[in-house]
Amino acid sequence: MEEYAREPCPWRIVDDCGGAFTMGAIGGGIFQAVKGFRNSPSGMNHRMKGSLTAIKTRAPQLGGSFAVWGGLFSMIDCGLVKVRGKEDPWNSITSGALTGAILAARNGPVAMMGSAAMGGILLGLIEGAGILLTRFASSQFPTGPQFAEEPTPPPTPPSPFGDYRQYQ
């Protein structure tokens, strides 16, 4: 099931890790900008400084956390592709569950099970939405007009002068 072209596995890990860092840094920057603005003392100058300080302090940490998650997820996904020999949604779902479990390992087995369940459910929802979206989009654009097969011409009686079709 090759829906889109992806990088081969060793490069996919680096690509996903960098993409996750970027998403975490940008999303964290936006969130921290609002949080720093709201939690600063009144006055536009203080609020802007508080916002910038919060971005510089926290956004790289959030980006790093996202990068760890994305890199670990990609490594597990590539390992499953290698072991199973195929690339399908089950690899992503399993990778999400294992990533959640590994990242929660320091908090004990109960936290690992909860994080694994959440990771598997989250990736299952994402993969399911992707499959539904693909099916919906493909049903909107039919492959082309469907032609009926041409009827076969009735057999012609044999001619005493030979087969005239040879001259057409």
Side-chain angles (χ1 to χ4, degrees):
M1 184 170 127
E2 194 66 35
E3 298 161 358
Y4 48 90
R6 291 187 70 186
E7 297 286 329
C9 260
W11 302 113
R12 183 185 306 178
I13 296 168
V14 175
D15 188 41
D16 288 350
C17 193
F21 177 82
T22 304
M23 280 193 321
I26 291 172
I30 292 169
F31 181 77
Q32 292 302 319
V34 172
K35 186 176 175 185
F37 188 84
R38 290 182 62 195
N39 292 335
S40 294
S42 62
M44 188 56 80
N45 195 23
H46 291 297
R47 290 188 185 261
M48 293 305 277
K49 283 183 183 177
S51 180
L52 188 59
T53 302
I55 292 170
K56 289 192 298 187
T57 305
R58 195 74 180 114
Q61 292 174 352
L62 287 168
S65 296
F66 271 68
V68 167
W69 194 95
L72 185 59
F73 174 85
S74 242
M75 285 192 294
I76 294 169
D77 192 36
C78 285
L80 288 173
V81 168
K82 181 73 173 173
V83 168
R84 294 183 69 221
K86 58 183 174 180
E87 193 164 348
D88 61 359
W90 288 111
N91 288 348
S92 294
I93 294 168
T94 306
S95 297
L98 288 174
T99 300
I102 291 169
L103 292 177
R106 293 168 56 184
N107 298 327
V110 174
M112 285 177 68
M113 294 300 290
S115 291
M118 287 306 296
I121 289 169
L122 180 66
L123 266 295
L125 290 172
I126 291 170
E127 289 293 328
I131 290 169
L132 287 176
L133 187 64
T134 302
R135 285 187 183 169
F136 178 72
S138 67
S139 69
Q140 295 295 317
F141 302 105
T143 57
Q146 303 296 326
F147 297 108
E149 291 191 27
E150 295 183 21
T152 57
T156 56
S159 170
F161 302 107
D163 191 8
Y164 70 89
R165 285 178 283 172
Q166 68 183 350
Y167 300 110
Q168 291 181 347

